[in-house]
Amino acid sequence: MDLSATSAQNVVSSTASKTTEEIHNILQLDADVGRIVSESFDSVGDMTDMTINDISITELLSTCIDACRRGCEVIRNVRHKLVQSSNVVGSDSKFFCCGAVKYKISNDPRSALTEADEASQKVITECLNNCWAKEIRSGLIKVVGEEDEGDDDFVDSVPLYDMMAHFEKYNTPSIDQEPVQRDLLSPSDSTQILHSSNEKNELIIFIDPMDGTREFVENRIENVQCLIGITLNGKPIAGAVGMPMIHEDKIEIAYGIDLPADSEQATLTPLSKLSGVKYFNTLNPLVKQLSVTDTGMGDYIDGEDDVKKLVVLSGDSKKPALTMSMKCLESDVLGTFVDSAPPIRKIVAGGCGNKMLFVQRRFEALSERIRHQEGTDLSSIIGSISLAPPGSSSWDTAGPTALLLAADPNAVVTDLIGRPLVYDGEHLSNDCGVVVSAGHMATRIHREMCEKLRRDEVFCEALGVVRCNAEIT
């Protein structure tokens, strides 16, 4: 099939009023796009012999990092245009009027959907399709995005001409001029191949194109993130967390690989864990003076005494599940400690990924401090715990979970009654909330709280689950 010729005919039919030069430029661009897509499809070939073992996890993560970077560019571009327009209420206002805002749930600011959400996802999915078209078509890789709107086969969903025009519209590097990078990770890591002995494997990429849409709307821009997570057979194994607006001239992407060493699940040689940060110069400016930059989270270690505190993060939700969980933690768990309970530093902040990243980075900061001062024993770390009621989804937690476990193998991520989160690509909502912890004391408190909550009939009724007396493994 001659994709460029077919696409060119479509363009001609819709551009009768354009000048000859304009039509020539459009046709040339569309021909270039057709060539790129044609090459992608030509490489598909015979896919019957492909297996999960043909995929390099570090190459896959590299493309996710680059796609995440381009999604962050979109977010910055949308905000810059809004700042330059009359849609900004004023520098002293809490609220940032960001043009057309839709709400998935009426009058619920947490369900806000903006142009940035949809445009960012479109860029990210196009980047991944360009790199992994044959794996997606063969079913080896499944892509699930927050703004999919039920479109499973998005490889063919974007007209060829619109594909490049979309990148240009948001001042984002296009895949025809700047190919998606497969080698962002070090050469020694990039040859690592994913192996699994399972007969049926499921590799899913979860995309949250803009986590913290409410924060974007309300101008708390430093809490906004772009999240991409990779799961293998229901377990997060790699992820990229993009921070588009914490630097004036750079985009920061944190990444991690946490591949289980269990031979029945998967093996990675020579390394099973990888953690790091990359910075990219940005094309879209950030006007900081109109930004409310106080995230309310404070430093990872806020003073000398903070190392002895348990940091507890949550949102401002009034849902009973969060209220009851917080009460259980403070009264039923910490209040009954035989040894003295640690003091608490409470942080109320938005963005699921934002809070999870704080848990990870505080653990890393505490670990570094101990290594410099006391040695290598990390058992004295009290750490942090984050509580969230029902409302988040697989794309909110997959990427940040992989990053957290890559940094702290003993970290714990469960729902509010201690069960692992589900990543099957079908049941997307974290219906029973999320608890995240890192640090020796924090993970102990996490488990004790979940144990009490799952035996609490009133709590389980509020959560909509049957009380469970069986042990949680």
Side-chain angles (χ1 to χ4, degrees), residues 5 41 57 74 86 94 108 182 205 234 276 279 311 317 331 387 399:
F41 291 157
I57 185 61
V74 172
S86 60
K94 174 183 176 182
D108 183 355
R182 293 174 174 267
I205 302 176
Y279 299 88
V311 170
S317 171
S331 301
L387 307 179

Side-chain angles (χ1 to χ4, degrees), residues 146-159:
E146 182 175 11
E147 316 306 338
D148 277 351
E149 297 183 342
D151 184 7
D152 294 328
D153 186 11
F154 52 76
V155 174
D156 292 326
S157 66
V158 181

Side-chain angles (χ1 to χ4, degrees), residues 98 101-113 217:
C98 56
V101 180
K102 294 182 287 185
Y103 293 92
K104 299 174 185 177
I105 302 173
S106 180
N107 298 320
D108 183 355
R110 297 174 188 83
S111 70
L113 174 66
V217 171

Side-chain angles (χ1 to χ4, degrees), residues 1-4 33-43 160:
M1 175 181 179
D2 188 346
L3 294 174
S4 59
V33 177
R35 171 182 51 76
I36 293 170
V37 178
S38 294
E39 289 172 356
S40 256
F41 291 157
D42 288 343
S43 68
L160 295 177

Side-chain angles (χ1 to χ4, degrees), residues 258 273 356 358-361 363-364 367 378 381-386 400-414 420 435-444 446-447:
D258 174 53
K273 295 188 183 295
M356 293 181 72
F358 186 96
V359 171
Q360 173 202 331
R361 291 191 160 179
F363 175 82
E364 291 175 328
S367 300
L378 304 182
I381 294 179
I382 293 174
S384 313
I385 184 169
S386 174
T401 294
L403 267 67
L404 175 62
L405 294 175
D408 177 17
N410 297 312
V412 180
V413 181
T414 69
V435 189
V436 180
S437 62
H440 182 72
M441 181 67 74
T443 55
R444 170 189 166 188
H446 176 154
R447 292 189 175 95

